[in-house]
Amino acid sequence: MKKYCEMTKEELLSEKELLEKRYSEKKALGLKLDISRGKPCPEQLALSAPMLDLVNSKTENFKCENGFDIRNYGVVDGIPECRRLFAEILDADPDEVIVTGNSSLNLFYDLIAHAVCHGVPGSERPWGEDKNRKLLCPAPGYDRHFAVGELFGFELVIVKMNADGPDMDEVERLIADPSVKGIICVPKYSNPQGISFSEEVVKRFANLSPAAPDFRIFWDNAYVVHDLYPDGEKDYVPSLLRLAKENGKGNMVYMLGSTSKITFPTAGLAAVASSAENTADFKRMLSFQNIGPDKINQMRHVLFFKDLDGVLKHMRKQAEIIRPKFETVLAVLKAELGETGIARWNSPKGGYFVSAELLPGTAKRTVALCKEAGLTLTGAGSVYPYGKDPEDSVLRIAPTFAPAAELPVAMELFSIAARLAAAEKLLSEK
Amino acid sequence: MKKYCEMTKEELLSEKELLEKRYSEKKALGLKLDISRGKPCPEQLALSAPMLDLVNSKTENFKCENGFDIRNYGVVDGIPECRRLFAEILDADPDEVIVTGNSSLNLFYDLIAHAVCHGVPGSERPWGEDKNRKLLCPAPGYDRHFAVGELFGFELVIVKMNADGPDMDEVERLIADPSVKGIICVPKYSNPQGISFSEEVVKRFANLSPAAPDFRIFWDNAYVVHDLYPDGEKDYVPSLLRLAKENGKGNMVYMLGSTSKITFPTAGLAAVASSAENTADFKRMLSFQNIGPDKINQMRHVLFFKDLDGVLKHMRKQAEIIRPKFETVLAVLKAELGETGIARWNSPKGGYFVSAELLPGTAKRTVALCKEAGLTLTGAGSVYPYGKDPEDSVLRIAPTFAPAAELPVAMELFSIAARLAAAEKLLSEK
């Protein structure tokens, strides 16, 4: 097949006609498919069902390690055994870890709200008093991160993503501005590109010298144990907190994680690991906000997993369910778009997304075509701050939730739509 | 027995000597008792144990009424059946109710943070931009409420509590100041006095005309179903939201509640009922903060209680456990302090506390004496804003958590300490 950009007008017209026919056939199926959000499928959720039985009416001992009753008030930073579990997951020390209820997004929100209202260690004043406050946003990235930044009045500054993480030259340049208060990123199997930051990138993060004395790196390690190929190729990202502490810069780091995509989204746990000073500060904030997290649910998780090894065994089962879905997505993309020259995509080793970069100016049209034919995608632009993709090019595909049997047709429709949009675009320029 | 204030110096000296002897005897017991916090006792917690079994690995249907999977993302305002349950509890309409995880304190914190950062319906600007913002605090009241207000930079303005609720003349006078942004109160079986607001007081609340266009009443109905005498004398407080809506003032009201002292503190649920506009606004805020509450735990509660009637039956069992403890506290106070003339206290029909008003200037000394002899009380002053009791007089007694067998000696020690402190004080003035 010829690449689209090499086709003549006539060839494009004939290609368009063919695509319109295929599109109509798909549309006639009356599909109702959704590959928009990174949601576990029911088979994945079923893996965690035994956890629900582990604290029950026959339980005799409701005490956690420090002697508190998990059914009653107290232990605002989480039960010790659960802090230890998350310390293993996030590669931090247990006394640097605070465990709450769901989710890491909620922790990010609370940390930002706290910094805006009260400031954090090192702050000369609450961030909210800095009218020109800015948040660095490596993009493509996670729409809900950007939305929190925007809600709290930050100017969102795009940083380019390279194959090994954010463009660190750019980051180092930007942080010379004292109104740049932080950066939000997903360091492993990033949302949506599945990029893992290289050791060199992490080391540069750990040694940043920002102008703002209270600059923070929000390190949302949402996919830290989410390898698709546990026995094969998988990524390793070192602990930013450990590296930053070696440089005496531990206060710069909040590492976040959760079990949202390990056990149950919204009925899982989240954790933040940080320096001793940050941890004490955030614990103090939490002690105003509530009188302890759901310790019963923390205990369920501890009894279910016991330790990191238990988590990894569980994630192996998750991978068995979702790996074929990722492979289907990649196979259809290759078959349908591989020779067209109108799209590039990643082949992630973990995480929850495949990110497709389409012909500039065709992402919105592709989403609209899919929607019209019964396939829901995340809105075009959503992977960029303010929902504005400067190239109208990047779309996020979330393979996990859709039934395996429906994914091929969903991806076929996606590909047809992307090709049709490209043909239309190119024809409009002829 | 003569009243202390009528005793001569000699009589007081002899009384003091007697008390010191009794105090030494108690101290020699090496007690380790705690009546400081309103915590359910293990017997109360055991009542809710069957709830833990209701969603389990054998559960076949994880769908809630609106078709969402309770194990997965979504339903940011709570599952419909749980909103209905809380609508009954709080006396509101289900579509006015949002149900989250624990706790009502957390909801209060989030609402205050939201108003300070972004404003609420009716706001001309975020509350945080009002440098002189004030929060009305009927006192004695709940220390954690005051702490949240202080953390967010409000000047806490004391409003006197009368036997039927806050001094409404004072409230109506104070809200003429546009920098008064809200009032926080516990309308039924108040913390710590056990006062329930009269219908007239609630009607005056519902018809306030504050100068601030975004003034809010935070109505923490923490003890709404917490009657000690379900078959006898119990208080009724009408729904502030319903009354305010009749006056076209629904936006003024956030009614809060939780199951912290119904099922499990910290592993319970909380809810807020408000006007349609406030509810939409808060739901939007929550949709930035997270991707749904713990719907599995919401379903546990729904299956356990079914409806308000189920809740009331459960609270009847709670009352059977804690009523004798309240009666012990009151009996010892009466026997030990009844004729001394140095103390007054309430006889609450519900809630979690007995509040004792001691001879002015003796509360701190009483707490110190108790502590020295092994009895922990909430700090003197904690029931007032900034922890400062203008009279150094009010102490809060929390009878529920202490084992029934230990309460008599705890209350005897408390009474001896209060009497000793009073004798010392009166002698110092002779």
Side-chain angles (χ1 to χ4, degrees), chain A residues 339-382:
Chain A
E339 295 171 14
T340 61
I342 60 153
R344 286 183 297 188
W345 56 89
N346 62 323
S347 298
K349 303 287 169 286
Y352 258 62
F353 303 101
V354 173
S355 179
E357 201 180 321
L358 307 181
L359 188 71
T362 65
K364 274 188 196 157
R365 174 67 177 149
T366 302
V367 170
L369 284 166
C370 286
K371 190 176 180 187
E372 206 184 311
L375 174 63
T376 304
L377 292 169
T378 314
S382 71

Side-chain angles (χ1 to χ4, degrees), chain B residues 136-273:
Chain B
L136 304 186
C137 298
Y142 179 33
D143 52 352
R144 289 181 181 272
H145 283 161
F146 303 152
V148 170
E150 192 180 351
L151 179 71
F152 281 95
F154 292 84
E155 182 189 327
L156 309 180
V157 180
I158 294 181
V159 173
K160 194 176 149 241
M161 279 290 280
N162 294 327
D164 62 348
D167 181 333
M168 292 309 290
D169 291 340
E170 185 74 358
V171 169
E172 286 163 4
R173 192 182 63 74
L174 287 164
I175 60 169
D177 171 0
S179 64
V180 171
K181 306 300 275 183
I183 182 168
I184 171 74
C185 48
V186 178
K188 189 169 174 184
Y189 304 136
S190 72
N191 176 352
Q193 294 172 299
I195 289 171
S196 296
F197 297 5
S198 71
E199 191 165 343
E200 195 211 323
V201 162
V202 180
K203 282 185 172 161
R204 286 176 76 176
F205 263 109
N207 204 22
L208 289 178
S209 296
D214 51 357
F215 177 87
R216 288 294 184 276
I217 302 164
F218 300 94
W219 195 254
D220 189 354
N221 217 339
Y223 308 106
V224 57
V225 290
H226 300 61
D227 304 307
L228 284 171
Y229 304 91
D231 300 311
E233 212 180 329
K234 58 187 171 187
D235 294 340
Y236 168 73
V237 177
S239 168
L240 175 64
L241 180 59
R242 293 200 189 282
L243 292 172
K245 278 167 68 184
E246 282 172 19
N247 298 331
K249 297 180 177 183
N251 279 2
M252 203 164 58
V253 178
Y254 294 116
M255 298 202 302
L256 307 172
S258 84
T259 67
S260 292
K261 291 178 182 93
I262 297 177
T263 58
F264 301 122
T266 78
L269 308 175
V272 53

Side-chain angles (χ1 to χ4, degrees), chain A residues 188-315:
Chain A
K188 189 171 173 185
Y189 304 136
S190 73
N191 176 352
Q193 296 172 296
I195 289 170
S196 295
F197 298 3
S198 70
E199 192 164 343
E200 195 211 323
V201 163
V202 180
K203 281 185 174 162
R204 286 175 76 177
F205 263 110
N207 205 22
L208 289 177
S209 296
D214 51 357
F215 177 87
R216 288 294 185 274
I217 302 165
F218 299 95
W219 195 252
D220 190 353
N221 217 339
Y223 309 107
V224 59
V225 290
H226 300 60
D227 304 306
L228 284 171
Y229 302 93
D231 298 312
E233 211 179 331
K234 58 187 172 186
D235 295 340
Y236 169 73
V237 178
S239 167
L240 175 64
L241 181 59
R242 292 200 191 283
L243 291 171
K245 279 165 68 184
E246 281 172 18
N247 299 331
K249 296 180 177 183
N251 278 3
M252 203 163 58
V253 178
Y254 294 116
M255 298 202 302
L256 308 172
S258 84
T259 66
S260 291
K261 292 177 181 93
I262 298 177
T263 59
F264 301 122
T266 76
L269 309 175
V272 53
S274 195
S275 66
E277 202 181 349
N278 280 348
T279 300
D281 171 67
F282 191 56
K283 181 176 171 179
R284 179 174 172 273
M285 202 286 291
L286 285 176
S287 73
F288 284 97
Q289 190 169 2
N290 63 52
I291 318 179
D294 183 342
K295 298 179 293 296
I296 294 179
N297 206 29
Q298 296 193 353
M299 186 60 89
R300 278 187 200 103
H301 281 74
V302 167
L303 293 173
F304 188 52
F305 289 125
K306 295 190 176 64
D307 53 23
L308 177 59
D309 194 50
V311 174
L312 294 178
K313 277 183 185 145
H314 180 78
M315 293 313 290

